[in-house]
Amino acid sequence: MLRRINGTALIIAALVATVGALAFPVWSYADRSGTGQANLNASAVATQWGPLSATDRDFLVKVRLAGLWELPAGQQAIERAPTQAIRDAGDHLIVGHADLDQRARDVAAKLGVELPNQPTEEQQGWLRELSAASGVEYEQKFANLLRNAHGKVFSLIAQVRHTTRNSLIRQLASDANQTVLDHITMLEATGRVDFDAIANEAAGQSTASPTGPPAPNGNLPPAPTPVAPNGDVTSLPSTQPGPPTAINTNRP
């Protein structure tokens, strides 16, 4: 009888230990180091405008760095570019980053964040590339170096605007979003941006599988035939050089 009681006690003790082991990660998870929440809290600094995270501070530094090389790049474009479209893009760089850089320095001073005073080695290399180029090569380098740099910082701006808990950083991210989008638009308007190169570089750096609906199978419906107000069939614009060819007309 005693042996049976001892066996039952052992079984109960084992069950209690098992349940405890399973429950421990649940109630202790929030206190475990290495989790995303723990890392966020560890990197954040309290301010009167809300917590300032490591991502927020990185954003401030990158806004400052952008101005440090894009301002001289814009000035150089105005002085050297052979076409008006490039000069216009350079003018937008100067106006946009002069304002954004001042805002970033004001915010950094309030939050106690130290900012760099010169571009990175990579950015200095881009400026040297521009200085060594001329003509069409200069336009291509200007448009693509700057468009690629703006596209990369665009994703950081979106992340910061979405996740920051600091009101000063949130407002700066909103301002930066408008400025960067304006610069991207102006750079693309030059007609020199190589979108295939940008897409291929991004694909080479991505490890995620593409998602979305399958590609069209080629059985797309034909384009509608344009019809004039009087019911006549009109000519379609040709996709090849030369005047459009009339399909049909019922006019006398």
Side-chain angles (χ1 to χ4, degrees):
M1 183 67 177
L2 180 61
R3 184 179 301 173
R4 181 178 301 175
I5 294 174
N6 289 339
T8 302
L10 287 174
I11 292 174
I12 293 174
L15 288 174
V16 170
T18 301
V19 171
L22 291 174
F24 176 78
V26 175
W27 61 260
S28 67
Y29 185 80
D31 297 325
R32 292 172 64 190
S33 62
T35 65
Q37 188 66 44
N39 293 337
L40 175 64
N41 293 333
S43 71
V45 177
T47 78
Q48 68 183 85
W49 298 276
L52 182 72
S53 71
T55 302
D56 296 337
R57 300 192 293 274
D58 183 50
F59 167 68
L60 269 174
V61 170
K62 283 187 166 53
V63 170
R64 172 64 170 163
L65 286 171
L68 287 173
W69 88 276
E70 291 177 28
L71 280 167
Q75 185 62 46
Q76 186 185 75
I78 292 176
E79 297 170 355
R80 296 185 52 201
T83 61
Q84 187 62 44
I86 297 290
R87 291 194 291 270
D88 288 343
D91 181 66
H92 277 243
L93 290 179
I94 293 174
V95 173
H97 279 292
D99 178 68
L100 199 60
D101 184 71
Q102 182 62 54
R103 291 172 182 262
R105 286 186 285 123
D106 290 344
V107 169
K110 291 178 180 178
L111 296 174
V113 176
E114 184 177 353
L115 296 179
N117 289 316
Q118 64 179 8
T120 65
E121 286 294 328
E122 182 179 39
Q123 292 168 335
Q124 293 178 43
W126 294 337
L127 287 171
R128 288 192 294 268
E129 281 190 55
L130 292 174
S131 298
S134 61
V136 173
E137 182 189 16
Y138 174 82
E139 292 193 345
Q140 291 172 335
K141 284 184 176 293
F142 176 86
N144 286 283
L145 284 172
L146 285 153
R147 170 60 179 80
N148 204 17
H150 279 81
K152 289 176 179 177
V153 78
F154 210 25
S155 60
L156 174 61
I157 294 171
Q159 177 190 359
V160 170
R161 183 62 182 80
H162 175 54
T163 62
T164 186
R165 296 173 288 174
N166 188 284
S167 60
L168 291 181
I169 295 295
R170 189 176 303 115
Q171 183 57 56
L172 182 63
S174 295
D175 297 336
N177 181 71
Q178 296 179 22
T179 300
V180 171
L181 182 57
D182 171 71
H183 293 174
I184 285 176
T185 303
M186 293 301 297
L187 290 163
E188 292 175 351
T190 66
R192 296 294 189 184
V193 174
D194 187 343
F195 293 102
D196 287 336
I198 291 174
N200 288 331
E201 179 184 341
Q205 296 173 349
S206 175
T207 58
S209 300
T211 59
N217 58 12
N219 298 323
L220 300 177
T225 302
V227 179
N230 61 3
D232 293 343
V233 178
T234 62
S235 61
L236 287 172
S238 173
T239 58
Q240 301 297 326
T245 302
I247 297 176
N248 186 20
T249 180
N250 296 323
R251 294 177 180 174

